[in-house]
Amino acid sequence: MKKLFVFLWSLVISATAMASEGKFSFNSGNWAADGEKTKVEKHLGQESLYLQRGHLLYQEAEMQDGILEVDIAPDPARGMAGIIFRHDGKNNYEEIYIRQGKSGQPDALQYTPVFNGSSSWQLYAEHQSRQVFKPGEWIHLKIHVQGALAKVYLDHSDTPAMVIPNLLHGSKGGKFGLWTLNGAHFSNFNFTPLNPASAPTTTVSTDLPANAIQRWQVSQPFLVKDVQPESWPNLQQLKWETLPTDAQGLLNIAQYRSKQEAEAFESNTDDMVWVKLELKSDKEQTKKLYFEYSNKAHVLVNGQPIFFGDNSFRAKNMIFRGEIDKNLRTNALYLPLRRGSNTILVALSSRANGWGIMGRFEDMTGISIK
């Protein structure tokens, strides 16, 4: 995150009304911003803060569990804006936001965890919701957070617009604030703390698909421009770390590796890691590996390139989102294995929106992962 500057923003909130509702609120507070073109002004009849781009973090309190609310008026074209919470000060946090330009589409409301500054929404398409926003009106966003569970409400509805049963950063506390990509007005921000002891227990399935890969070896990161991914890498220069997948079989690389520039979206640096899987085969054979990745992947088997694919946002057309298929139904590799040891290498690169890999074998007959 860029160097922070601190300013005071006076929020117009009725202290008496908030106290009667038992909410923690503030009439003014210290905020830290890394954003652009910040100004306080009247908008749609309400006192508001306009932020062109970036983040605002409230400095005088942290939250573990609680209710966050704000009125948002994004810029109508490509406006994306929302709430960030459980921010650890090191660019790891939860993010829930609305996309007014996507009104009526399946991704109008989104959740993504942010690891090391990298948004990962292409890896979590299950946390999106089709919503319709009225143009030229305030959108009320409310997030109820307890433990690893978050419920998202829009425009004072009692019915959740989205339920997230497994917040990826778990239940730890952190700072909270606001975020926008292409400009938004914010008004009437409220925070109500909740007792963490009352947090419900959420159940997330840990039943991986049969023959799912549950660990990968991952190298240190490189800039793509410094590597020729189609060629055999110098293995002696690579430092391997064995990393586990999550409960769905996904390995989010950004959780463990940092990009050189992660917060400028399509203007980010193009970073890559080598991902390795070592197999032992009892004979020469071909094995089918169902395979998903984001954004780009070069695959080598025993030094020979067999595949290249590009799932980047808009790589195939202007509406291509590049989301991965966690059911592993749409892509497969046929791996030519020799008897004995085999090395599968993937040059996995990402510029923005997701950096991950997952796979499962059709069957494991005659092979084992070393």
Side-chain angles (χ1 to χ4, degrees):
M1 188 178 289
K2 299 176 184 177
K3 185 177 180 180
L4 300 177
F5 62 89
V6 178
F7 66 94
L8 287 177
W9 171 27
S10 179
L11 292 171
V12 181
I13 302 175
S14 169
T16 302
M18 294 302 105
S20 67
E21 295 175 9
K23 291 185 178 181
F24 172 84
S25 63
F26 42 83
N27 292 327
S28 64
N30 290 324
W31 293 77
D34 67 342
E36 304 170 4
K37 298 182 181 179
T38 306
K39 59 183 177 180
V40 177
E41 62 183 7
K42 198 92 167 183
H43 184 72
L44 296 177
Q46 297 182 183
E47 292 295 326
S48 71
L49 177 88
Y50 179 75
L51 178 65
Q52 177 64 38
R53 185 185 182 104
H55 304 80
L56 297 169
L57 284 178
Y58 185 63
Q59 297 298 292
E60 301 303 313
E62 293 192 356
M63 69 162 284
Q64 182 171 349
D65 291 356
I67 301 171
L68 297 158
E69 298 182 71
V70 69
D71 293 332
I72 306 176
D75 283 358
R78 290 192 63 204
M80 299 167 58
I83 292 174
I84 57 179
F85 57 98
R86 291 180 173 168
H87 195 298
D88 70 351
K90 300 178 182 179
N91 291 339
N92 298 290
Y93 52 92
E94 310 283 14
E95 185 174 87
I96 296 174
Y97 54 95
I98 59 177
R99 306 176 69 186
Q100 185 155 19
K102 291 281 192 172
S103 179
Q105 299 185 36
D107 53 348
L109 175 66
Q110 290 185 320
Y111 156 71
T112 182
V114 176
F115 294 104
N116 293 309
S118 290
S119 172
S120 302
W121 63 263
Q122 287 175 315
L123 307 183
Y124 303 102
E126 65 271 26
H127 297 312
Q128 300 179 8
S129 174
R130 186 189 303 271
Q131 301 294 326
V132 176
F133 306 119
K134 297 178 181 179
E137 295 186 14
W138 287 103
I139 302 167
H140 187 75
L141 175 64
K142 174 182 174 181
I143 305 172
H144 186 285
V145 181
Q146 284 193 304
L149 173 68
K151 296 180 180 180
V152 185
Y153 301 85
L154 293 175
D155 294 329
H156 305 284
S157 173
D158 293 330
T159 302
M162 182 166 62
V163 177
I164 305 154
N166 55 332
L167 291 167
L168 270 296
H169 287 287
S171 302
K172 62 183 180 181
K175 293 192 178 298
F176 53 84
L178 304 168
W179 168 85
T180 183
L181 176 60
N182 294 307
H185 288 85
F186 298 95
S187 184
N188 296 325
F189 183 90
N190 292 317
F191 168 56
T192 305
L194 298 174
N195 185 352
S198 65
T201 300
T202 59
T203 301
V204 179
S205 173
T206 57
D207 294 331
L208 287 169
N211 305 321
I213 298 171
Q214 301 182 47
R215 64 185 186 274
W216 302 82
Q217 296 182 61
V218 181
S219 77
Q220 68 270 39
F222 304 90
L223 289 177
V224 168
K225 68 180 181 64
D226 296 332
V227 180
Q228 295 296 324
E230 301 89 344
S231 62
W232 181 263
N234 186 338
L235 296 181
Q236 294 181 344
Q237 295 179 358
L238 300 181
K239 301 174 182 179
W240 298 106
E241 181 181 7
T242 300
L243 299 176
T245 67
D246 67 13
Q248 295 177 294
L250 169 70
L251 175 60
N252 185 340
I253 299 296
Q255 188 172 353
Y256 303 95
R257 300 290 184 264
S258 297
K259 293 172 58 64
Q260 289 199 15
E261 174 58 59
E263 296 185 1
F265 292 87
E266 276 66 47
S267 298
N268 291 344
T269 51
D270 196 3
D271 302 68
M272 64 158 285
V273 290
W274 286 102
V275 180
K276 182 170 68 169
L277 191 68
E278 293 183 307
L279 298 176
K280 185 176 181 180
S281 177
D282 63 5
K283 62 181 177 181
E284 183 178 314
Q285 60 181 317
T286 299
K287 281 295 180 181
K288 187 176 183 179
L289 173 68
Y290 293 99
F291 178 64
E292 279 289 338
Y293 60 92
S294 179
N295 291 150
K296 299 179 182 179
H298 294 259
V299 181
L300 298 85
V301 178
N302 297 324
Q304 298 301 311
I306 66 165
F307 173 83
F308 167 74
D310 187 352
N311 277 337
S312 302
F313 180 57
R314 292 181 174 173
K316 300 177 183 179
N317 53 60
M318 288 300 292
I319 62 173
F320 180 70
R321 296 188 296 188
E323 297 158 342
I324 68 168
D325 170 25
K326 288 187 175 177
N327 293 311
L328 294 168
R329 301 165 299 187
T330 55
N331 295 300
L333 303 174
Y334 289 89
L335 306 179
L337 302 180
R338 62 196 178 194
R339 183 180 179 183
S341 297
N342 295 266
T343 300
I344 290 86
L345 284 171
V346 183
L348 187 68
S349 65
S350 172
R351 188 176 295 276
N353 307 317
W355 195 8
I357 189 170
M358 63 190 307
R360 67 174 175 87
F361 285 96
E362 184 175 51
D363 71 86
M364 295 287 292
T365 305
I367 63 170
S368 60
I369 299 176
K370 298 170 64 177

